[in-house]
Amino acid sequence: MNADAIALILLAAGRGTRFGAAKLAAPLLDKPVARHAADMLARFGFRAHLAVVGPDTPALPGYVTVRLDPPGAPQSRSLALGIAAARARGAAAVMIALADMPLVPARHIGAMIARFDGDRLASRGPETTMPPVLFGAQHFDALIALHGDRGAGALLHDAPTVPLTSDEALDIDRAADLARATHLLALR
């Protein structure tokens, strides 16, 4: 499937509870945390670049923003809003990515798009299946029906995967994660 049939949904409404502050706006070298993932993903010719945002999300140029309503709602609400926006744009599939994963490389996204058969495809970190993930339109209703603060992991238990290294899979949840990301980006 080509990228122009896929809508990107960047989940960027996290509250940063474990981080202790608005983590997506925290500076990471030359820009906010969320801009690293957003800028890398903006290079791809997706049907739409959608970002589900909260009150603390920094500006994400080039993205159609979908406000999380109500603010602070669980991740399942972010997914439902993103899927509805993708569906309204005629997407045949969605890629779901997280704004707090700034080290996922563009080559990983390219490999996922090239391998995607229209069903499901996930990333595989050292310990678990994780975003970025791809879902065909046949899964949209199941994604919208999710509840609570868990993602779509239950829908991916037997999905094929594309590997990420532990550094690439870094998810910024705590101040120590931000320090590690700063160090790793400085080495690039």
Side-chain angles (χ1 to χ4, degrees), residues 3-68:
D4 62 0
I6 302 167
L8 170 69
I9 301 170
L10 183 64
L11 299 181
R15 296 179 304 251
T17 310
R18 288 177 284 179
F19 190 77
K23 69 178 176 179
L24 296 178
L28 176 56
L29 294 183
D30 60 338
K31 56 190 167 186
V33 166
R35 285 285 306 276
H36 287 269
D39 290 354
M40 180 275 292
L41 291 161
R43 300 180 208 161
F44 292 89
F46 292 111
R47 172 172 290 271
H49 289 83
L50 308 167
V52 181
V53 302
D56 297 326
T57 306
L60 300 173
Y63 281 75
V64 173
T65 56
V66 178
R67 295 250 172 235
L68 178 59

Side-chain angles (χ1 to χ4, degrees), residues 41-135:
L41 291 161
R43 300 180 208 161
F44 292 89
F46 292 111
R47 172 172 290 271
H49 289 83
L50 308 167
V52 181
V53 302
D56 297 326
T57 306
L60 300 173
Y63 281 75
V64 173
T65 56
V66 178
R67 295 250 172 235
L68 178 59
D69 184 31
Q75 188 177 65
S76 59
R77 179 71 177 147
S78 290
L79 282 170
L81 290 169
I83 295 295
R87 186 178 265 165
R89 287 162 176 78
V94 293
M95 173 172 273
I96 301 166
L98 303 181
D100 63 356
M101 290 181 67
L103 301 177
V104 174
R107 65 176 159 64
H108 181 77
I109 302 302
M112 290 188 76
I113 293 167
R115 185 170 168 194
F116 185 54
D117 66 2
D119 185 20
R120 298 164 301 144
L121 183 64
S123 299
R124 177 80 187 163
E127 299 174 14
T128 187
T129 300
M130 62 191 315
V133 297
L134 283 157
F135 286 100

